Amino acid sequence: MAPILYLVFFLSGAAALLFETLWFHQASLAFGSSVWASSLVLSSFMCGLALGNLLAGRFATRLRQPVVAYAVLEGVIALTGFALVLGLPTVGKALAPVLGALEAAPWAQNLSRLGFGFVLLLVPATAMGATLPLLVGVLEARDANFGAVLGRLYGWNTWGAVCGALAAELFLVAWLGVRFSAVVAASANLLAAVGAAWVARQPGAAVPAETASQPTATGARVWPLCLAAFGAGLVLLALEVVWFRFLTLFVAGTSLAFAAMLASVLAGIASGGLLAGAWLGRRPDAHRHVSLLAWGAGAWVGLGYLIFPLVSAPFAEGIVHGWLAVLWLTAALSFPVAAASGALFAMLGAKLRVVSPSAPRAAGWLTFWNTAGAGLGSLLGGFVLLPGLGIEPALFVLALAYGGVALACVFGATEAPRLSRLAAVGAVVWLGAALVFPHGVLRDHHLQRSVARVAAGDAYEVVAVREGRTETAVWLRHFLEGEPYADTLVTNNYSMSGTNWGGQRYMKLFTWWPVALHPDMRDALLISYGVGSTAESLIDTRALERIDVVDISEDILELSDLRFPDPAKHPLRDPRVEVHIEDGRYFLETTDRRFDLITGEPPPPKMAGVVNLYTREYFALVRSRLRPGGINTYWLPVHSLGAEDAKAIVRAYCEAFPDCSLWGGHGFSWMLIGSHDGLPPATEAAFARQWQDPVVGPELRHHGIERPEQMGALFLADADQLLDWTRDTPPLTDDHPKRLSDEAAPWPVDPLFDAWIEASGARERFAQSPFIEAVWPAALRERTLGYFAVQDQFNERAGGRLPTLDTPARLQRLEGLLATTDVEVPVYWILGTTVQEVATYARRAARGRRADPRRQALHDTARAYAARDYLGAALALSRAQRQQPRNPALVYLRVHALLRAGQADAARDVAQQAAAWLPSRDADRRVWSWFGERFGFDAPFDASETGQP
């Protein structure tokens, strides 16, 4: 009978973690993914568990057939758990008007979420909490060693939880979706119920009802044990929060990674429970060493952190993606602590049983206090320790807190309080670990390693670090020749947003594109703030009367002060702006307002919880919150996606927005664009008004959209083309979030994405698009076709694929731009620099600081070429040649500049002076041949015989 019950409880643990995973996914749809919402739902769940612990401890002794009661509870969990998975999103929609009315009073809104969450989770969570006290009484009736029974039950149940956590993330949700995964969880509960019912029919399954009896020791001995159980749960769950935050400095923040972290901790707890059960089975009085486990857990908190640099060294070059690697890193940090905690649970139960009138009562007390502590510990870690102290001090404090748990174990002894010799050794080790705790290693090593990966060889400075409730945010400043160049916001280990030229270009296009097409834009909503580039473009748009900004992180919004120290220029200080600290989807669900523009650049889709902002249901919600004629622009970061990932998102978007279209931004940061009910044709005058605006116009030109025609050259595909591309790919939906894989994106990017931005193909799709014909100003359409070649320069530069300067291909591109357009920015790119770099060097020169002469000459050349000052370019190239006298590219450029200026004789002199050393490679001969074809320029020597072969 006992093996069957252990198997039953294993199934119950697997179902519990599977249900918990599904509930939290569905609750994030109902109540949002903000740290407040997720913490309140977790608290509701823990309160339900604790209530079940308490009720079972109080009433289980009155049951003659506890196994039957257990089977009924498993059935209740199956039915209510499955109903909750199906019903949570619907309930969330029904409650949205009520919760939305409380937006002005966040405390009331969060209290309401806590209340609703508690009510919804009450029945299944309470039933889960009651199961352990029921079964432990049944098994103790056949094995009087309570501690051994408790350890085995707890261990097998937790191993089931490990399997449930991993199964959900690795294959169940991917194969079956959320709702059918709930069927699997319910089936596991029902199978456990059937197994328990079979056991209940066996002879001897009934347990005589017990009557209350007096404890064998005074309350002065009981309460310290309850306090120890409370403290053990509190410290471990707080540690789990802190560990996970620490690990996100190294690990990809996907839901699978978090499941692997959780599974690693649970595996430690399960192992500890089983080992304690085995120890107590051999030595029933082993619980007298219980304080040893607390001392040991506290010691390893510090020692595990001390050795972590060695453990993580093999992964120093990149972000850890594989779930087995995540398991290993988490285990190195946490497994001994978790194992000690699992054993501590069983040992404390054995001690409590000595002073308890019954096994269910002892298990009920133990689980109630441990669960209550765990619920408080998760809140303490996320809301107090991390934002108040930071990762490293929090680990130190929690390591010390285990000393308090150990002392509570000592004073909860049934005999006079004293330390066993073994426990005394543990206390000494704990004290030694506290003394060698590596203070400062986070700042000096771990954070530096994380941001150095983002800096990618740039000179940089860490300007600010915020260890907040939602993330560890680092504001990184990059330097060029000692001059501030750009800033990057790094959250955990990911470069979330930045002020580099390319980043600002695509983020501001989220505003510029819709303003060009919308005839009368008044209200805008921005979801996710980042470093404020999109918000800056919104406040620059004077027609907007109200701008709402929604972001989940208060810390990220506050870090914006570093970029905008002047309040007059700060987007969040603009009187038209209203800020909401909330999950973007939840805000849309609860607001009754409608907008002319909804734009968003949430974190990358594969990060945990962010998938909710890329599903078909979410995009349909966005469309429903647009006014007639309203426009949505949305970030599609294909650089962080595989081809099938991108197709699933695009399919979801196009099923929500029938007029969907896809546009380039910068490199592989693209834009999805859709409208509420279609767009009217735009006039050329209305389309071009931004270029005449005294604020927006210079910004457009600075970011390489110098003429209205260039906006159209960003086109990649319209709805018909996108639906054809994705016809064999099912959409990303709330029920199938794993259609977005957890795999790292390939780099270089999938060749399919290269094909989409290839200029000739995009130009052809633009010319044939019914969408473009319907909405684009007719006079612009034909003129736009010539600017796809210009856009090609941006695409190739962003992808690092421009040919070298000493080849005909690059000279031909430069000549094509100069001969057929008046654009300036692509000229900088072709010549190997950017507008941002040139401006940085100009600021340096204005302060009288000397720059690298070679770089300065390059920038002077690019500035002159962009202004079509060819003699100025030739002069700058002459200065550059003094620094690099035998650089063929400089000779070719100088000859080209002189020919452009009509100075053929001077060009011939430059070529003649370099003839002695110029190489005679095929590429070089093609350069001279091209000069002859384009300018009628004959080299004053035989190009096939220059220099050395």
Side-chain angles (χ1 to χ4, degrees), residues 683-842:
T683 66
E684 184 175 5
F687 189 99
R689 66 187 183 273
Q690 288 184 99
W691 279 264
Q692 282 77 54
D693 186 278
V695 175
V696 179
E699 280 291 291
L700 281 160
R701 287 185 280 275
H702 174 78
H703 287 95
I705 309 165
E706 301 170 60
R707 302 182 58 83
E709 290 87 345
Q710 288 181 267
M711 188 76 81
L714 298 170
F715 178 84
L716 298 180
D718 65 13
D720 291 342
Q721 296 153 357
L722 291 174
L723 288 171
D724 181 63
W725 177 45
T726 61
R727 64 181 181 274
D728 297 325
T729 302
L732 186 64
T733 65
D734 288 346
D735 192 50
H736 286 277
K738 287 298 180 181
R739 285 176 180 162
L740 199 64
S741 73
D742 291 295
E743 297 175 2
W747 189 258
V749 297
D750 193 295
L752 183 66
F753 300 145
D754 280 320
W756 272 110
I757 63 174
E758 193 272 322
S760 61
R763 182 182 186 276
E764 183 178 351
R765 291 191 295 274
F766 178 89
Q768 297 174 353
S769 169
F771 171 78
I772 294 298
E773 184 177 2
V775 304
W776 222 252
L780 281 180
R781 287 201 299 270
E782 190 64 32
R783 299 203 305 268
T784 293
L785 295 175
Y787 282 88
F788 278 90
V790 176
Q791 179 61 28
D792 199 36
Q793 311 308 312
F794 290 109
N795 296 339
E796 295 212 347
R797 173 66 161 76
R801 296 188 302 275
L802 276 179
T804 59
L805 281 169
D806 56 355
T807 61
R810 198 156 175 185
L811 284 170
Q812 286 169 0
R813 291 177 189 220
L814 177 61
E815 174 62 19
L817 280 175
L818 298 173
T820 62
T821 76
D822 59 357
V823 296
E824 297 184 7
V825 172
V827 174
Y828 289 93
W829 284 52
I830 286 181
L831 292 174
T833 185
T834 67
V835 177
Q836 195 169 19
E837 282 189 25
V838 171
T840 302
Y841 273 82

Side-chain angles (χ1 to χ4, degrees), residues 527-801:
I527 295 175
S528 295
Y529 180 79
V531 296
S533 294
T534 306
E536 185 179 32
S537 67
L538 288 170
I539 67 166
D540 286 346
T541 304
R542 290 176 294 173
L544 288 171
E545 297 171 354
R546 176 167 175 171
I547 303 164
D548 289 84
V549 175
V550 180
D551 200 282
I552 207 167
S553 171
E554 189 173 3
D555 292 301
I556 286 177
L557 294 175
E558 290 177 355
L559 282 170
S560 180
D561 295 345
L562 296 170
R563 182 182 177 191
F564 302 104
D566 183 356
K569 297 180 180 179
H570 200 308
L572 302 182
R573 308 288 184 268
D574 190 285
R576 296 170 293 167
V577 172
E578 184 172 347
V579 177
H580 311 267
I581 311 296
E582 189 51 83
D583 171 67
R585 179 165 178 160
Y586 179 77
F587 175 83
L588 285 171
E589 197 74 72
T590 56
T591 188
D592 58 357
R593 296 186 51 235
R594 298 296 181 268
F595 305 90
D596 297 312
L597 169 64
I598 299 176
T599 186
E601 188 204 359
K606 294 192 178 187
M607 298 186 75
V610 182
V611 67
N612 294 344
L613 300 181
Y614 282 90
T615 63
R616 179 179 59 195
E617 292 82 356
Y618 172 71
F619 292 137
L621 175 61
V622 170
R623 184 184 176 206
S624 73
R625 295 299 184 264
L626 289 169
R627 287 192 181 126
I631 298 174
N632 171 244
T633 54
Y634 216 73
W635 186 42
L636 183 66
V638 296
H639 54 73
S640 63
L641 300 169
E644 290 304 310
D645 299 322
K647 288 166 72 174
I649 293 173
V650 169
R651 187 75 192 189
Y653 192 87
C654 289
E655 290 190 4
F657 288 97
D659 66 341
C660 64
S661 55
L662 184 64
W663 299 76
H666 176 70
F668 295 101
S669 285
W670 297 351
M671 286 190 300
L672 285 164
I673 298 178
S675 71
H676 180 272
D677 53 358
L679 297 173
T683 66
E684 184 175 5
F687 189 99
R689 66 187 183 273
Q690 288 184 99
W691 279 264
Q692 282 77 54
D693 186 278
V695 175
V696 179
E699 280 291 291
L700 281 160
R701 287 185 280 275
H702 174 78
H703 287 95
I705 309 165
E706 301 170 60
R707 302 182 58 83
E709 290 87 345
Q710 288 181 267
M711 188 76 81
L714 298 170
F715 178 84
L716 298 180
D718 65 13
D720 291 342
Q721 296 153 357
L722 291 174
L723 288 171
D724 181 63
W725 177 45
T726 61
R727 64 181 181 274
D728 297 325
T729 302
L732 186 64
T733 65
D734 288 346
D735 192 50
H736 286 277
K738 287 298 180 181
R739 285 176 180 162
L740 199 64
S741 73
D742 291 295
E743 297 175 2
W747 189 258
V749 297
D750 193 295
L752 183 66
F753 300 145
D754 280 320
W756 272 110
I757 63 174
E758 193 272 322
S760 61
R763 182 182 186 276
E764 183 178 351
R765 291 191 295 274
F766 178 89
Q768 297 174 353
S769 169
F771 171 78
I772 294 298
E773 184 177 2
V775 304
W776 222 252
L780 281 180
R781 287 201 299 270
E782 190 64 32
R783 299 203 305 268
T784 293
L785 295 175
Y787 282 88
F788 278 90
V790 176
Q791 179 61 28
D792 199 36
Q793 311 308 312
F794 290 109
N795 296 339
E796 295 212 347
R797 173 66 161 76
R801 296 188 302 275

Side-chain angles (χ1 to χ4, degrees), residues 46 229-235 237-238 367-378:
M46 300 299 278
F230 177 86
L234 182 148
V235 176
L237 260 291
T367 51
F368 170 77
W369 288 105
N370 190 254
T371 302
L376 183 60
S378 64

Side-chain angles (χ1 to χ4, degrees), residues 31-90:
F31 300 118
S33 295
S34 71
V35 64
W36 287 102
S38 58
S39 297
L40 291 169
V41 171
L42 176 62
S43 297
S44 301
F45 178 67
M46 300 299 278
C47 286
L49 289 178
L51 179 61
N53 302 151
L54 197 63
L55 292 174
R58 183 172 180 83
F59 297 110
T61 55
R62 303 181 186 180
L63 299 173
R64 291 293 307 276
Q65 294 287 345
V67 182
V68 173
Y70 173 83
V72 170
L73 287 177
E74 290 289 350
V76 168
I77 295 168
L79 296 176
T80 58
F82 179 69
L84 200 56
V85 171
L86 294 185
L88 262 172
T90 303

Side-chain angles (χ1 to χ4, degrees), residues 458-480:
D458 287 354
Y460 68 89
E461 173 190 358
V462 175
V463 178
V465 178
R466 291 288 185 91
E467 296 185 65
R469 289 188 289 265
T470 56
E471 72 283 296
T472 298
V474 179
W475 193 274
L476 201 64
R477 182 150 294 155
H478 304 259
F479 291 87
L480 187 63

